[in-house]
Amino acid sequence: MGTLDFGRFGITTGLDSSPESLAAAAAAEELGYPAIWLSGGPLPGLQTIVDLIQATETIRFVSGILAVDRFSAADVSATYEQLEASAPGRFTVGLGGAHGPRPLGTLNNYLDQLTAVPTDHRVLAALGPRMLELARDRTAGAYPFLIRSEYTAEARQTLGPDKLLAVSHLAVVETDPDRARAIARGTISFFPRIPGYLASLKRQGFSDEEIAELPDHVVDSLAAWGTPADIAAKLTEHLDAGADHVAINVITGVTGPQPIDQWRALADAVLS
């Protein structure tokens, strides 16, 4: 791994600038998580990242992801420079969301303009081999989501030994198999509608029928569930396969409150 070090486990979650989100970020920091990877569709805005860093003391934030068709390279650079001046090392620029006929060209052009952000403080939400190669050549590494550990090993081979590989993985703190899988299936079912994720699932060897129906074995490979110890064991498969870091994306089947209780339950298992 290169200069970025987020520890073995962090959190993936969607946050905004509301008091509830700022309190949740502070709670994650208090629990000992070293990093939060921001998600939740289009980020609320660059100011949210500033607000979250100002509301906490040491925890690091990665924009996972800033869509390059929404946030200009100039604005991202200005935010990065602002935060480097006030809180150095706490913001890493995660990029993705390039659509259209030439996504690699779009990202390459964007990275050309992102001169204020050093290579070792930017990552790509890479899934396919060509995007992984771009992450290897022009950023600190890759941040794939919805992959099983076998694909993590392939991603490591593409990236080489010296680049960051941070995997975001779904987790359901629920021991009832039917309920846990139903919660996971409800989230996973959205992503095959997105061409990049559909291609990724097929690349991982899932058939059209498996992607459409999401049988138990598919859900179990893409989401960890059970006790905190069960979840820690599943997530560690990515580390054993070559990942440097796993960002735990806790889902509960309920929209709204941050899963602080679940973060707390997992902390002893993954941070000890």
Side-chain angles (χ1 to χ4, degrees):
M1 185 174 63
T3 58
L4 284 180
D5 185 356
F6 297 111
R8 285 163 56 88
F9 294 100
I11 290 170
T12 297
T13 193
L15 296 171
D16 54 31
S17 296
S18 67
E20 293 78 12
S21 282
L22 300 182
E29 179 177 67
E30 184 176 352
L31 288 168
Y33 290 98
I36 292 177
W37 298 69
L38 298 168
S39 67
L43 293 174
L46 294 169
Q47 184 60 43
T48 289
I49 300 169
V50 175
D51 294 341
L52 289 165
I53 288 177
Q54 290 178 344
T56 52
E57 296 182 4
T58 60
I59 195 168
R60 299 163 74 181
F61 291 87
V62 190
S63 56
I65 56 175
L66 287 174
V68 299
D69 59 357
R70 179 180 175 197
F71 298 95
S72 73
D75 287 344
V76 172
S77 294
T79 301
Y80 177 82
E81 290 181 313
Q82 173 190 349
L83 288 170
E84 275 298 286
S86 61
R90 293 188 60 203
F91 174 39
T92 298
V93 177
L95 299 170
H99 303 292
R102 297 183 62 250
L104 289 171
T106 297
L107 279 169
N108 259 313
N109 291 337
Y110 193 96
L111 291 169
D112 287 342
Q113 301 171 52
L114 205 66
T115 54
V117 182
T119 298
D120 62 359
H121 273 78
R122 54 195 192 192
V123 298
L124 287 186
L127 290 173
R130 289 190 299 168
M131 199 66 76
L132 287 166
E133 289 169 358
L134 182 63
R136 177 195 65 201
D137 295 342
R138 302 210 57 188
T139 76
Y143 175 57
F145 169 61
L146 212 64
I147 64 171
R148 53 184 179 176
S149 58
E150 292 87 348
Y151 191 73
T152 297
E154 296 180 26
R156 171 51 71 199
Q157 288 186 332
T158 301
L159 288 172
D162 299 325
K163 291 293 183 173
L164 174 75
L165 177 54
V167 175
S168 180
H169 197 93
L170 297 171
V172 186
V173 186
E174 170 61 61
T175 57
D176 178 85
D178 291 338
R179 174 160 176 74
R181 287 174 173 140
I183 292 171
R185 191 174 284 112
T187 295
I188 295 169
S189 64
F190 168 78
F191 289 95
R193 307 174 199 172
I194 302 172
Y197 283 104
L198 177 60
S200 175
L201 292 169
K202 290 184 176 182
R203 194 180 298 116
Q204 293 179 65
F206 295 117
S207 67
D208 290 337
E209 182 179 1
E210 287 175 315
I211 294 170
E213 297 182 1
L214 296 178
D216 289 351
H217 72 275
V218 174
V219 172
D220 292 350
S221 67
L222 298 174
W225 57 268
T227 67
D230 294 333
I231 291 170
K234 181 68 176 179
L235 300 179
T236 300
E237 292 178 6
H238 286 291
L239 301 176
D240 293 341
D244 301 297
H245 176 84
V246 178
I248 309 168
N249 189 341
V250 174
I251 53 175
T252 63
V254 178
T255 302
Q258 291 292 325
I260 297 173
D261 289 343
Q262 287 82 0
W263 295 345
R264 182 175 294 108
L266 288 169
D268 286 342
V270 301
L271 300 178
S272 58

